[in-house]
């Protein structure tokens, strides 16, 4: 027996199967909250075989742990990727929730059965391709995944993934795994700030020992890895583009605030929840008006903007890009269609909430994305969460064609939902910024506050969403998250339901 949850198929296991998964001795109990993430992943790996058996997976299938989230009540959410006969399964991810030694739910990105699928490689292979199983919104097939590394005309690196049917050659999926802010313009800074640095002999390094040794490198308007910023007196930059360390200050500050936001608001220890700091690289390219996150280097890269005078290093841009890394380490929302829009929206949401958390007087928190960087050269924000269509392209409301829109614009639906859930509809002023948020049904929405809204979205991302989640499934997932946190009969649960209806997701 199966049911559809989060837009994915969730297997309802028999009582005997649940019992088999839950009765695993000491190793099956929810992990203590003081376990490190590597220890938690190791414990999940030890259970993978038993869980595979209870789920009825075929002998060639293996579960590989990717993330573990532990609740205060002892519930552990074990997120697994799947392989078949050693091949990666795209759309094979699943989340197992355990409490008091018992499995309470299993959510799969795909409910398709992989048993019997022929994984013998065809005679003709894709050049440089990896043989995989593709099961994302598709009957499972053998496929080739190729990754083409290149540089676009605007200097943005590209890691273009293409998945093609190994038997027919049909293109099944394409997406770029370098996530970036789009547009052109200038940036500004966060004023005078305090930074954690590392002393090495008689010099100081722009490396933060309190936050996983996350560092800032200078690309000097080139590419590659660059060189670590160093300084003799531990006083960095001069507040203008004439000193290249100024961009390093903003990058370090943005990375530090992003780290602190996830740690102190959500209990997450770094982007991968493993205590490892990410590398930030500034002064990429020439007149490059963009910024991007790359999983492959676990790094954040910033261009200098028009005329190389204003690096794109604002707090919300930094948090937006690094939040792509958090999404990759958790839900793994595929960067295409509606799931891609949710991926982008997640970064906008946490870019905004990190900016509020930072409480910087020069760049106060708001529900505008990229309002400081003047990326289009017209002084306007890149995106508006209260009414996304104000940018001329983003969607305010869901429709059946939302999955056909560029992910930077279909993200508007979730951005609008989050604003409404946090602040409600209608005209209001927050931190000096005027907002006036409409609704699809012209009915009012009462917000529950940003503090609650951000916790609901984070819980849904880390314990409910999978790689294939779409908007209808995001509604189900956030409702489940609200029920977990506040109860299914709570005002918060009702507000989530109402906010989704207000953006036409029902």
């Amino acid at each position: 027996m199966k049911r559809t949850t989060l837009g994915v198929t969730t297997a309802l296991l028999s009582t005997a199967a649940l019992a088999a998964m839950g009765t695993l001795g000491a190793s099956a109990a929810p992990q203590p909250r003081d376990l490190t993430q590597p220890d938690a992943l190791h414990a999940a790996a030890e259970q993978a075989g038993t869980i595979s058996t209870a789920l009825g997976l075929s002998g060639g299938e293996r579960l590989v742990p990717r993330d573990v989230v532990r609740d205060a009540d002892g519930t552990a959410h074990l997120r697994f990727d799947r392989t078949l006969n050693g091949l990666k399964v795209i759309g094979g991810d699943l989340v197992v929730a355990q409490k008091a030694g018992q499995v309470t739910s299993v959510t799969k990105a795909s409910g398709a059965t992989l048993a019997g699928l022929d994984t013998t490689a065809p005679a003709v292979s894709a050049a440089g391709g990896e043989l995989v199983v593709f099961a994302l919104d598709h009957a499972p097939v053998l496929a080739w995944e190729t990754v083409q590394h290149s540089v676009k005309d605007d200097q943005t690196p590209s890691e273009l993934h293409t998945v093609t049917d190994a038997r027919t050659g049909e293109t099944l999926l394409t997406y770029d795994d370098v996530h970036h802010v789009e547009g052109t313009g200038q940036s500004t800074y966060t004023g005078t700030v305090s930074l954690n640095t590392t002393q090495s002999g008689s010099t100081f390094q722009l490396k933060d020992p309190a936050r996983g040794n996350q560092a800032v490198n200078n690309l000097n308007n080139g590419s590659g890895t660059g060189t670590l910023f160093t300084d003799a007196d531990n006083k960095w930059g001069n507040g203008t583009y004439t000193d290249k360390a100024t961009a390093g200050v903003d990058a370090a500050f943005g990375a530090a605030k992003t780290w602190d936001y996830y740690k102190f608001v959500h209990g997450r220890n770094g982007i991968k929840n493993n205590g490892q700091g990410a590398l930030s690289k500034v002064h990429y390219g020439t007149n490059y008006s963009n910024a991007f996150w790359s999983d492959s280097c676990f790094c954040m890269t910033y261009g200098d903007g028009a005329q190389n005078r204003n690096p794109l290093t604002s707090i919300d841009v930094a948090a937006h890009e690094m939040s792509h890394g958090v999404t990759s380490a958790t839900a793994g929302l595929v960067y295409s269609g509606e799931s891609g829009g949710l991926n982008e929206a997640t970064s906008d949401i946490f870019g905004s909430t990190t900016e509020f958390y930072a409480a910087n007087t020069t760049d106060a928190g708001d529900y505008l994305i990229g309002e400081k960087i003047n990326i289009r050269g017209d002084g306007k924000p890149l995106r508006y969460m209260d009414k996304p269509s104000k940018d001329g392209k983003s969607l305010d409301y869901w429709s059946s064609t939302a999955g056909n829109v560029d992910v930077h614009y279909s993200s508007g639906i979730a951005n609008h939902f989050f604003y409404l859930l946090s602040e409600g509809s209608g005209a209001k002023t927050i931190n000096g910024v005027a907002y006036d948020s409409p609704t699809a049904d012209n009915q009012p929405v009462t917000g529950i506050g940003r503090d609650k809204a951000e916790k609901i979205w984070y819980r849904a991302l880390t314990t409910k969403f999978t790689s294939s989640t779409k908007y209808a499934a995001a509604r189900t997932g956030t409702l489940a998250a609200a029920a977990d946190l506040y109860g299914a009969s709570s005002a918060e649960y009702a507000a989530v339901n109402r906010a989704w209806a207000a953006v036409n997701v029902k």
Side-chain angles (χ1 to χ4, degrees):
M1 183 171 63
K2 298 179 179 178
R3 67 180 178 190
T4 299
T5 302
L6 301 180
V8 299
T9 303
T10 302
L12 291 182
L13 303 182
S14 67
T15 302
L18 284 170
M21 293 174 68
T23 310
L24 298 175
S27 65
Q31 303 304 320
R33 290 181 61 78
D34 59 354
L35 270 183
T36 65
Q37 187 69 352
D39 287 343
L41 290 171
H42 178 72
E46 289 184 334
Q47 299 184 55
T50 304
I51 291 173
S52 295
T53 300
L55 285 173
L57 302 185
S58 64
E61 295 179 64
R62 297 290 183 269
L63 296 178
V64 181
R66 171 152 45 104
D67 188 45
V68 177
V69 173
R70 297 177 296 278
D71 299 342
D73 68 356
T75 301
H77 304 268
L78 284 59
R79 186 181 295 274
F80 294 95
D81 290 321
R82 197 180 341 175
T83 64
L84 176 64
N85 297 332
L87 304 182
K88 176 175 69 175
V89 180
I90 298 174
D93 51 303
L94 55 91
V95 183
V96 175
Q98 295 179 335
K99 184 176 182 181
Q102 299 295 318
V103 170
T104 58
S105 68
V106 179
T107 303
K108 299 179 181 179
S110 170
T113 299
L114 301 180
L117 181 67
D118 182 6
T119 57
T120 304
V124 178
S125 65
E130 175 188 2
L131 197 62
V132 300
V133 174
F134 184 79
L136 188 72
D137 298 326
H138 193 283
V141 294
L142 195 65
W144 291 105
E145 180 181 23
T146 59
V147 183
Q148 181 180 359
H149 295 266
S150 62
V151 178
K152 299 177 183 177
D153 291 342
D154 70 352
Q155 304 176 70
T156 305
S158 173
E159 297 174 11
L160 183 64
H161 291 244
T162 303
V163 182
T164 56
D165 190 307
R167 311 293 182 193
T168 68
E170 176 191 0
T171 298
L172 303 172
L173 176 69
T174 60
Y175 67 94
D176 200 320
D177 210 26
V178 174
H179 310 310
H180 58 88
V181 176
E182 293 192 341
T184 60
Q186 300 177 336
S187 69
T188 191
Y189 303 100
T190 53
T192 302
V193 296
S194 297
L195 300 173
N196 281 344
T197 58
T198 298
Q199 187 169 4
S200 177
S202 61
T203 64
F204 295 89
Q205 301 172 336
L206 200 50
K207 182 168 63 175
D208 191 340
R211 299 176 177 88
N213 284 321
Q214 54 190 20
V216 183
N217 283 10
N218 179 13
L219 295 178
N220 201 28
N221 299 113
S223 58
T225 302
T227 57
L228 179 65
F229 275 102
T230 60
D231 189 85
D233 61 4
N234 210 18
K235 296 180 181 179
W236 306 83
N238 64 6
T240 75
Y241 72 91
T242 61
D243 187 335
K244 287 190 178 295
T246 299
V249 169
D250 278 322
F253 183 72
K257 291 304 177 184
T258 302
W259 178 287
D260 290 353
Y261 170 74
Y262 278 109
K263 179 176 182 179
F264 295 112
V265 175
H266 301 299
R268 189 173 189 84
N269 188 25
I271 289 173
K272 287 188 176 179
N273 203 23
N274 62 358
Q276 177 185 348
L279 174 66
S280 295
K281 300 187 290 186
V282 298
H283 303 303
Y284 170 80
T286 302
N287 301 323
Y288 182 68
S289 297
N290 222 320
F292 56 89
W293 167 267
S294 174
D295 279 331
S296 62
C297 66
F298 197 63
C299 68
M300 174 68 214
T301 304
Y302 302 90
D304 277 347
Q307 300 179 337
N308 286 335
R309 293 191 173 190
N310 296 104
L312 281 78
T313 48
S314 64
I315 300 170
D316 56 353
V317 171
H320 170 106
E321 298 300 347
M322 287 184 278
S323 291
H324 279 304
V326 174
T327 296
S328 176
T330 57
L333 292 159
V334 171
Y335 205 64
S336 177
E338 290 192 23
S339 61
L342 287 164
N343 190 318
E344 269 297 306
T346 295
S347 284
D348 280 352
I349 288 167
F350 291 135
S352 175
T353 56
T354 298
E355 188 179 77
F356 275 105
Y357 172 84
N360 179 263
T361 56
T362 304
D363 188 4
D366 52 52
Y367 293 97
L368 310 173
I369 304 301
E371 76 283 354
K372 290 290 184 180
I373 60 176
N374 190 23
I375 199 167
R376 295 194 180 100
D378 57 7
K380 296 179 180 179
L382 178 63
R383 287 188 284 276
Y384 305 78
M385 298 180 76
D386 67 317
K387 188 178 180 182
S389 61
K390 288 171 67 175
D391 67 10
K393 294 183 178 180
S394 291
L395 304 181
D396 289 336
Y397 312 118
W398 182 87
S399 73
S400 60
T401 60
N404 301 326
V405 177
D406 183 285
V407 297
H408 293 89
Y409 307 131
S410 62
S411 63
I413 302 163
N415 284 345
H416 194 189
F417 158 81
F418 185 81
Y419 175 86
L420 288 168
L421 181 63
S422 299
E423 306 293 346
S425 57
K428 54 185 56 94
T429 299
I430 304 166
N431 281 353
V433 179
Y435 304 96
D436 193 359
S437 191
T439 61
D441 54 11
N442 294 315
Q443 298 300 307
V445 174
T446 300
I448 60 174
R450 186 179 59 259
D451 290 348
K452 292 180 178 179
E454 65 189 349
K455 289 180 174 60
I456 289 171
W457 193 267
Y458 180 80
R459 181 167 182 83
L461 177 75
T462 57
T463 70
K464 314 298 180 185
F465 294 176
T466 67
S467 59
S468 65
T469 296
K470 298 178 178 61
Y471 271 106
R475 173 183 176 275
T476 305
T478 49
L479 283 169
D484 289 347
L485 293 172
Y486 306 108
S489 60
S490 65
E492 291 82 2
Y493 183 96
V496 170
N497 193 43
R498 173 69 197 108
W500 278 122
V503 296
N504 201 38
V505 178
K506 302 173 183 178

